[in-house]
Amino acid sequence: MTTVGFIGLGIMGGPMAANLVDAGFDVVGHNRGRAAVDALVARGGRAAGTVAGAVRDADILITMLPDSPDVEAVVLGNDGVLEHARPGLLLIDMSTIRPDVARALSAAGADAGVRVLDAPVSGGEPAAVEGSLSIMVGGDTADVEAARPVLETLGQTIVHVGPAGAGQTVKAANQLMVAGNIQLLAEAIVFLDAHGVDAEAAIKVLGGGLAGSTVLNRKAAGMLRREYTPGFRLALHHKDLGIVSAAAREAGVVTPLGAVVAQLVAAMVARGDGGLDHSGLLKLTEELAGRPGTPRT
Amino acid sequence: MTTVGFIGLGIMGGPMAANLVDAGFDVVGHNRGRAAVDALVARGGRAAGTVAGAVRDADILITMLPDSPDVEAVVLGNDGVLEHARPGLLLIDMSTIRPDVARALSAAGADAGVRVLDAPVSGGEPAAVEGSLSIMVGGDTADVEAARPVLETLGQTIVHVGPAGAGQTVKAANQLMVAGNIQLLAEAIVFLDAHGVDAEAAIKVLGGGLAGSTVLNRKAAGMLRREYTPGFRLALHHKDLGIVSAAAREAGVVTPLGAVVAQLVAAMVARGDGGLDHSGLLKLTEELAGRPGTPRT
């Protein structure tokens, strides 16, 4: 039986680890907060009190952590993954981090006899629960094939997009598009409200035409109710758009819409709304139009 | 048998009129250029050499024309629709025009005993051919019901969104979102290319996650080939974004992404690229990044 260590049992990692248990993997979970570990054990997984405990017996180790420094600390740090890994461990980092950090982890792994993939995901909490994530994988082909049984348990669309770091580059493009799609939907909703048009009926017909999108299908209903419970917090999307901005500058790419939406997300975080779901961009867009908290009519 | 006059047999109007013929309507078509009328006759429709000829016997008249002044001239002008309409004619304007002009046409129609709906569409040429358009309808409920057999022949999603002009308001929101979605996809493609990531593989996984959209499904393949044959010309989208900008200003709505993409579309038209498909925004985005005409690798 394949033993899968899983570090980071948050909004995304928790249901992902649960799906691995349900699929018959021997899952050993570690998390800073104890409640998520208890939930995994109740589901049939095993608990690890330390990183070392999660990695020691693992054939495959998954990390699902908030940001680049978290992953660096867990993988490269004292008492970290590379220190305790069995030879030939396959480390799949599914966090969203900087592509250059993903490449550095891959190189450090190679030096320590650990194979590393960057495999960030899209689809949000509902897709994590359903096991229907989109997974963009960077790394060596043989390692991607070795990871496939695990990845196919977690996701529906698994694509090997290139060498180490390529998964994170595609995820950066994903986050640019998602933030932009949400902001465009927010602008459309405020525009329709301001003209007295029934936004709910309008969203139905917009979704059927060329303006249709997964963001519209998954986010519009909550936005029409002005419910911004995460889901995916603006603070995390702000972090991701920082990755996009840096990677775009580095490659000499100009992203006019990406730059503007990054500013709007930054404004939300600066004013203390970083804990809202990213669909909360509607809140700022309404206030820019002098229509704070317009209720649905 | 219901006689449907059809004025404007272009990229959209031509296949729409053909679908009405196939569905058994008696279709009388008029168009400035003769070739499109001949094509309709070959399909089983009838030809009208003048606006009067298309409207005289019509129970329902559809107009599908490029811009507000075109519709005003055909409907309100000398020898126009209102002058030759039978009492009780149902006029369905499916063009994309200004909401205030749609309201003026409705009022003028009421004075002349002609019922008027604004019913612009989304989905582009493929949906016009398939009869799967999204149709956003403004006007009186009884008139929408009377129009339904015709609209259901042309489209799949038909939503009555409000009184006269509401259809055009929703269409404006649609055009804002579509232009923005295309530009976001263009920025993502340039970003991926610049980082040496296989954009085709990336698009596949992006489409499966929260970045998925109808624009991605319908436009990405052509954009990866750098094929910008219309489809929907940037010159027309520029006209539509002028409607969006004016209607947003009028209602006091701030549209940060809508404003930026309107500028980019304006730049394409100003430099002589207005005849390209709107997916041609990729061309400008590549040039902004100093990567003109990057071929697919």
Side-chain angles (χ1 to χ4, degrees), chain A residues 1-296:
Chain A
M1 185 189 270
T2 304
T3 295
V4 179
F6 205 114
I7 299 177
L9 301 168
I11 289 179
M12 298 294 290
M16 290 163 67
N19 284 333
L20 289 170
V21 170
D22 292 355
F25 290 98
D26 171 36
V27 180
V28 188
H30 173 65
N31 195 60
R32 253 191 321 215
R34 177 74 205 183
V37 179
D38 291 342
L40 180 68
V41 170
R43 186 76 166 234
R46 293 194 284 138
T50 60
V51 168
V55 73
R56 198 172 291 125
D57 304 325
D59 305 298
I60 292 178
L61 183 80
I62 295 176
T63 45
M64 190 62 176
L65 297 163
D67 202 351
S68 303
D70 307 303
V71 180
E72 285 175 308
V74 162
V75 175
L76 307 175
N78 273 343
D79 254 341
V81 172
L82 296 190
E83 198 174 317
H84 292 280
R86 298 199 328 201
L89 172 72
L90 177 59
L91 167 61
I92 312 175
D93 178 38
M94 305 189 76
S95 321
T96 296
I97 65 169
R98 291 184 356 230
D100 60 308
V101 173
R103 286 189 292 270
L105 292 172
S106 174
D111 289 344
V114 170
R115 302 171 291 159
V116 181
L117 296 174
D118 52 300
V121 306
S122 180
E125 187 186 7
V129 173
E130 292 163 13
S132 65
L133 291 162
S134 241
I135 310 179
M136 35 218 96
V137 193
D140 290 347
T141 302
D143 300 339
V144 176
E145 289 316 306
R148 205 166 274 279
V150 161
L151 298 179
E152 286 180 348
T153 301
L154 302 173
Q156 197 160 39
T157 309
I158 294 109
V159 183
H160 182 200
V161 291
Q168 295 297 350
T169 301
V170 176
K171 178 63 190 281
N174 183 81
Q175 293 304 77
L176 162 68
M177 292 177 73
V178 169
N181 278 347
I182 291 172
Q183 177 60 27
L184 288 165
L185 179 55
E187 293 180 16
I189 289 172
V190 176
F191 180 88
L192 293 164
D193 278 345
H195 283 91
V197 172
D198 177 358
E200 192 169 6
I203 292 293
K204 192 174 154 198
V205 68
L206 290 168
L210 198 48
S213 68
T214 309
V215 160
L216 188 148
N217 295 341
R218 297 219 168 192
K219 296 287 180 187
M223 290 168 79
L224 289 175
R225 291 193 303 271
R226 272 69 180 174
E227 280 177 15
Y228 307 129
T229 312
F232 188 74
R233 287 184 291 121
L234 279 161
L236 279 174
H237 215 139
H238 178 58
K239 178 264 293 182
D240 293 350
L241 293 173
I243 294 171
V244 175
S245 302
R249 282 187 73 90
E250 180 196 314
V253 174
V254 178
T255 58
L257 294 200
V260 173
V261 76
Q263 290 290 306
L264 296 170
V265 171
M268 288 295 282
V269 173
R271 57 193 246 162
D273 279 332
L276 300 185
D277 185 65
H278 48 179
S279 60
L281 280 166
L282 176 57
K283 189 179 172 207
L284 177 60
T285 308
E286 286 189 300
E287 292 177 20
L288 288 174
R291 305 173 63 82
T294 309
R296 180 162 59 120

Side-chain angles (χ1 to χ4, degrees), chain B residues 86-106:
Chain B
R86 298 199 327 200
L89 172 72
L90 177 58
L91 167 60
I92 312 175
D93 178 38
M94 305 189 77
S95 322
T96 296
I97 65 170
R98 291 184 357 228
D100 61 307
V101 173
R103 286 189 292 270
L105 292 172
S106 173

